[in-house]
Coordinates of all heavy atoms in Angstrom, one line a residue:
A149 N -18.1 -44.6 -12.2 CA -17.2 -43.4 -12.0 C -17.6 -42.8 -10.6 O -16.7 -42.4 -9.9 CB -17.4 -42.4 -13.1
L150 N -18.8 -42.6 -10.3 CA -19.2 -42.0 -9.0 C -18.8 -42.9 -7.9 O -18.4 -42.4 -6.8 CB -20.7 -41.8 -9.0 CG -21.3 -40.7 -9.9 CD1 -22.8 -40.8 -9.9 CD2 -20.8 -39.4 -9.5
S151 N -18.8 -44.2 -8.1 CA -18.3 -45.1 -7.0 C -16.9 -45.0 -6.7 O -16.4 -45.0 -5.6 CB -18.6 -46.6 -7.4 OG -20.0 -46.8 -7.5
L152 N -16.1 -44.8 -7.8 CA -14.7 -44.6 -7.6 C -14.4 -43.2 -7.0 O -13.5 -43.1 -6.1 CB -14.0 -44.7 -9.0 CG -12.5 -44.4 -9.0 CD1 -11.7 -45.4 -8.2 CD2 -11.9 -44.4 -10.5
M153 N -15.1 -42.2 -7.4 CA -14.9 -40.9 -6.8 C -15.2 -40.8 -5.3 O -14.5 -40.0 -4.6 CB -15.8 -39.8 -7.5 CG -15.5 -39.7 -9.0 SD -13.8 -39.5 -9.4 CE -13.8 -40.1 -11.0
Q154 N -16.1 -41.6 -4.8 CA -16.3 -41.7 -3.4 C -15.1 -42.1 -2.6 O -14.9 -41.7 -1.5 CB -17.5 -42.6 -3.1 CG -18.8 -42.1 -3.6 CD -20.0 -43.1 -3.3 OE1 -19.7 -44.2 -2.9 NE2 -21.2 -42.6 -3.5
I155 N -14.2 -42.9 -3.3 CA -13.1 -43.4 -2.6 C -11.8 -42.5 -2.8 O -11.1 -42.1 -1.9 CB -12.7 -44.9 -3.1 CG1 -13.9 -45.8 -2.8 CG2 -11.5 -45.4 -2.4 CD1 -14.3 -45.9 -1.4
C156 N -11.6 -42.2 -4.1 CA -10.4 -41.4 -4.4 C -10.5 -39.9 -4.3 O -9.5 -39.2 -4.4 CB -9.9 -41.8 -5.8 SG -10.9 -41.1 -7.1
K157 N -11.8 -39.4 -4.2 CA -12.0 -38.0 -4.0 C -11.5 -37.2 -5.2 O -11.0 -36.0 -5.1 CB -11.4 -37.4 -2.7 CG -11.9 -38.2 -1.5 CD -13.4 -38.2 -1.3 CE -13.8 -38.9 0.0 NZ -15.3 -39.0 0.1
G158 N -11.5 -37.8 -6.4 CA -11.1 -37.1 -7.6 C -9.6 -37.1 -7.9 O -9.1 -36.5 -8.9
K159 N -8.8 -37.7 -7.0 CA -7.3 -37.7 -7.2 C -6.9 -38.8 -8.2 O -7.5 -39.9 -8.2 CB -6.6 -38.0 -5.8 CG -6.8 -36.9 -4.8 CD -6.1 -37.3 -3.5 CE -6.3 -36.3 -2.4 NZ -5.6 -36.6 -1.1
N160 N -5.9 -38.5 -9.0 CA -5.2 -39.4 -9.9 C -6.2 -40.0 -10.9 O -6.2 -41.2 -11.1 CB -4.5 -40.5 -9.1 CG -3.2 -40.0 -8.5 OD1 -3.2 -38.9 -8.0 ND2 -2.2 -40.8 -8.5
I161 N -7.1 -39.2 -11.4 CA -8.1 -39.7 -12.4 C -7.7 -39.2 -13.8 O -7.3 -38.0 -14.0 CB -9.5 -39.2 -12.1 CG1 -10.0 -39.8 -10.7 CG2 -10.5 -39.5 -13.2 CD1 -10.2 -41.3 -10.8
I162 N -7.8 -40.1 -14.7 CA -7.5 -39.7 -16.1 C -8.8 -40.1 -16.9 O -9.4 -41.2 -16.7 CB -6.3 -40.5 -16.7 CG1 -5.0 -39.9 -16.2 CG2 -6.3 -40.6 -18.2 CD1 -3.8 -40.6 -16.6
M163 N -9.2 -39.2 -17.8 CA -10.3 -39.5 -18.7 C -9.7 -39.6 -20.2 O -9.1 -38.7 -20.7 CB -11.4 -38.4 -18.6 CG -12.2 -38.5 -17.3 SD -13.6 -37.4 -17.4 CE -12.9 -35.8 -17.5
S164 N -10.0 -40.8 -20.8 CA -9.5 -41.0 -22.1 C -10.7 -41.4 -23.0 O -11.7 -41.8 -22.5 CB -8.4 -42.1 -22.1 OG -7.3 -41.7 -21.3
S165 N -10.5 -41.4 -24.3 CA -11.6 -41.7 -25.2 C -11.8 -43.2 -25.4 O -13.0 -43.7 -25.4 CB -11.3 -41.1 -26.6 OG -10.2 -41.7 -27.2
A166 N -10.8 -44.0 -25.5 CA -10.9 -45.4 -25.9 C -11.6 -45.5 -27.3 O -12.4 -46.4 -27.6 CB -11.6 -46.3 -24.9
A167 N -11.4 -44.5 -28.1 CA -12.1 -44.3 -29.4 C -11.6 -45.3 -30.4 O -10.3 -45.6 -30.5 CB -11.9 -42.9 -29.9
E168 N -12.5 -45.9 -31.2 CA -12.1 -46.8 -32.3 C -12.4 -46.1 -33.6 O -12.0 -46.6 -34.7 CB -12.9 -48.1 -32.2 CG -12.6 -48.9 -30.9 CD -13.4 -50.1 -30.7 OE1 -14.3 -50.4 -31.6 OE2 -13.2 -50.9 -29.8
R169 N -13.2 -45.0 -33.6 CA -13.6 -44.3 -34.8 C -13.5 -42.8 -34.4 O -13.7 -42.4 -33.3 CB -15.0 -44.6 -35.3 CG -15.1 -46.1 -35.8 CD -16.5 -46.5 -36.2 NE -16.5 -47.8 -36.7 CZ -16.5 -48.9 -36.0 NH1 -16.5 -48.8 -34.7 NH2 -16.6 -50.1 -36.6
H170 N -13.3 -42.0 -35.4 CA -13.1 -40.5 -35.2 C -14.3 -39.9 -34.7 O -14.3 -38.9 -33.9 CB -12.6 -39.8 -36.4 CG -13.6 -39.7 -37.5 ND1 -13.8 -40.7 -38.4 CD2 -14.4 -38.7 -37.9 CE1 -14.8 -40.3 -39.3 NE2 -15.1 -39.1 -39.0
L171 N -15.5 -40.4 -35.0 CA -16.8 -39.8 -34.5 C -16.9 -40.0 -33.0 O -17.8 -39.4 -32.3 CB -18.0 -40.5 -35.2 CG -18.1 -40.1 -36.7 CD1 -19.3 -40.9 -37.3 CD2 -18.2 -38.6 -36.9
E172 N -16.1 -40.9 -32.4 CA -16.2 -41.1 -30.9 C -15.3 -40.2 -30.1 O -15.3 -40.2 -28.9 CB -15.8 -42.6 -30.6 CG -16.8 -43.6 -31.2 CD -16.3 -45.0 -31.2 OE1 -15.2 -45.2 -30.6 OE2 -17.0 -45.9 -31.7
L173 N -14.6 -39.4 -30.8 CA -13.7 -38.4 -30.1 C -14.5 -37.1 -29.8 O -15.3 -36.7 -30.6 CB -12.5 -38.1 -31.0 CG -11.4 -39.1 -31.0 CD1 -10.4 -38.8 -32.1 CD2 -10.6 -39.2 -29.7
R174 N -14.1 -36.5 -28.6 CA -14.7 -35.2 -28.3 C -13.6 -34.3 -27.8 O -12.5 -34.7 -27.5 CB -15.7 -35.4 -27.1 CG -16.9 -36.2 -27.5 CD -17.8 -35.5 -28.5 NE -19.1 -36.2 -28.8 CZ -19.2 -37.1 -29.7 NH1 -18.1 -37.5 -30.4 NH2 -20.4 -37.7 -29.9
G175 N -13.8 -33.0 -27.9 CA -12.8 -32.0 -27.5 C -12.5 -32.1 -26.1 O -13.4 -32.5 -25.2
P176 N -11.3 -31.6 -25.7 CA -10.9 -31.7 -24.2 C -11.8 -30.9 -23.3 O -12.1 -31.4 -22.2 CB -9.5 -31.1 -24.3 CG -9.4 -30.4 -25.6 CD -10.3 -31.1 -26.5
Y177 N -12.4 -29.8 -23.7 CA -13.3 -29.0 -22.8 C -14.6 -29.7 -22.7 O -15.2 -29.6 -21.6 CB -13.4 -27.6 -23.4 CG -12.2 -26.8 -23.3 CD1 -11.4 -26.5 -24.4 CD2 -11.8 -26.3 -22.0 CE1 -10.2 -25.7 -24.3 CE2 -10.6 -25.5 -21.9 CZ -9.9 -25.2 -23.0 OH -8.7 -24.5 -22.9
D178 N -15.1 -30.4 -23.7 CA -16.3 -31.2 -23.6 C -16.1 -32.3 -22.6 O -17.0 -32.7 -21.8 CB -16.7 -31.8 -25.0 CG -17.2 -30.7 -25.9 OD1 -17.6 -29.6 -25.4 OD2 -17.0 -30.9 -27.1
I179 N -14.9 -32.9 -22.6 CA -14.6 -34.0 -21.7 C -14.5 -33.5 -20.3 O -14.9 -34.2 -19.3 CB -13.3 -34.8 -22.2 CG1 -13.5 -35.3 -23.6 CG2 -13.0 -36.0 -21.2 CD1 -14.8 -36.0 -23.9
A180 N -13.9 -32.4 -20.1 CA -13.8 -31.8 -18.8 C -15.2 -31.5 -18.2 O -15.5 -31.8 -17.0 CB -13.0 -30.5 -18.8
N181 N -16.2 -31.1 -19.1 CA -17.5 -30.9 -18.6 C -18.2 -32.3 -18.3 O -19.0 -32.4 -17.3 CB -18.4 -30.2 -19.7 CG -18.0 -28.7 -19.8 OD1 -17.6 -28.1 -18.9 ND2 -18.1 -28.2 -21.0
L182 N -17.8 -33.3 -19.1 CA -18.4 -34.6 -18.8 C -17.9 -35.1 -17.4 O -18.6 -35.8 -16.7 CB -17.9 -35.6 -19.9 CG -18.4 -37.0 -19.7 CD1 -20.0 -37.1 -19.8 CD2 -17.8 -37.9 -20.9
G183 N -16.7 -34.7 -17.1 CA -16.1 -35.1 -15.8 C -16.9 -34.6 -14.6 O -16.9 -35.2 -13.5
L184 N -17.7 -33.5 -14.8 CA -18.6 -33.1 -13.7 C -19.7 -34.1 -13.4 O -20.1 -34.3 -12.3 CB -19.2 -31.7 -14.1 CG -18.2 -30.6 -14.4 CD1 -19.0 -29.3 -14.8 CD2 -17.3 -30.3 -13.2
L185 N -20.1 -34.8 -14.5 CA -21.1 -35.8 -14.3 C -20.5 -37.1 -13.6 O -21.2 -37.8 -12.9 CB -21.7 -36.3 -15.6 CG -22.6 -35.3 -16.4 CD1 -23.0 -35.9 -17.7 CD2 -23.8 -34.9 -15.5
F186 N -19.2 -37.2 -13.7 CA -18.5 -38.3 -13.1 C -18.2 -38.0 -11.6 O -17.6 -38.9 -10.9 CB -17.2 -38.6 -13.8 CG -17.4 -39.2 -15.2 CD1 -16.3 -39.4 -16.0 CD2 -18.7 -39.7 -15.6 CE1 -16.5 -39.9 -17.3 CE2 -18.8 -40.2 -16.9 CZ -17.8 -40.3 -17.7
G187 N -18.5 -36.8 -11.1 CA -18.3 -36.5 -9.8 C -17.0 -35.7 -9.5 O -16.6 -35.5 -8.4
L188 N -16.4 -35.3 -10.6 CA -15.1 -34.5 -10.4 C -15.4 -33.0 -10.3 O -16.4 -32.5 -10.7 CB -14.3 -34.7 -11.7 CG -13.6 -36.1 -11.9 CD1 -13.1 -36.1 -13.3 CD2 -12.5 -36.3 -10.9
T189 N -14.5 -32.3 -9.6 CA -14.6 -30.9 -9.5 C -14.2 -30.3 -10.8 O -13.6 -31.0 -11.7 CB -13.8 -30.3 -8.4 OG1 -12.4 -30.6 -8.7 CG2 -14.1 -30.9 -7.0
E190 N -14.4 -29.0 -11.0 CA -14.0 -28.4 -12.3 C -12.5 -28.5 -12.5 O -12.0 -28.8 -13.6 CB -14.4 -26.9 -12.3 CG -14.1 -26.2 -13.6 CD -14.6 -24.8 -13.6 OE1 -15.5 -24.5 -12.8 OE2 -14.2 -24.0 -14.5
G191 N -11.7 -28.3 -11.4 CA -10.2 -28.4 -11.5 C -9.8 -29.8 -11.8 O -8.9 -30.0 -12.6
D192 N -10.4 -30.8 -11.1 CA -10.0 -32.2 -11.2 C -10.3 -32.7 -12.6 O -9.6 -33.5 -13.2 CB -10.6 -33.1 -10.2 CG -10.0 -32.8 -8.8 OD1 -8.9 -32.4 -8.7 OD2 -10.7 -33.1 -7.8

Side-chain angles (χ1 to χ4, degrees):
L150 290 173
S151 296
L152 176 61
M153 298 311 153
Q154 290 178 352
I155 303 299
C156 73
K157 306 301 181 184
K159 295 180 180 179
N160 287 40
I161 296 295
I162 283 174
M163 289 191 294
S164 302
S165 65
E168 298 177 359
R169 294 174 177 80
H170 70 277
L171 292 176
E172 296 169 0
L173 282 167
R174 296 292 184 271
Y177 290 104
D178 291 334
I179 303 311
N181 288 332
L182 182 62
L184 302 180
L185 291 178
F186 291 169
L188 291 167
T189 65
E190 185 176 344
D192 288 338

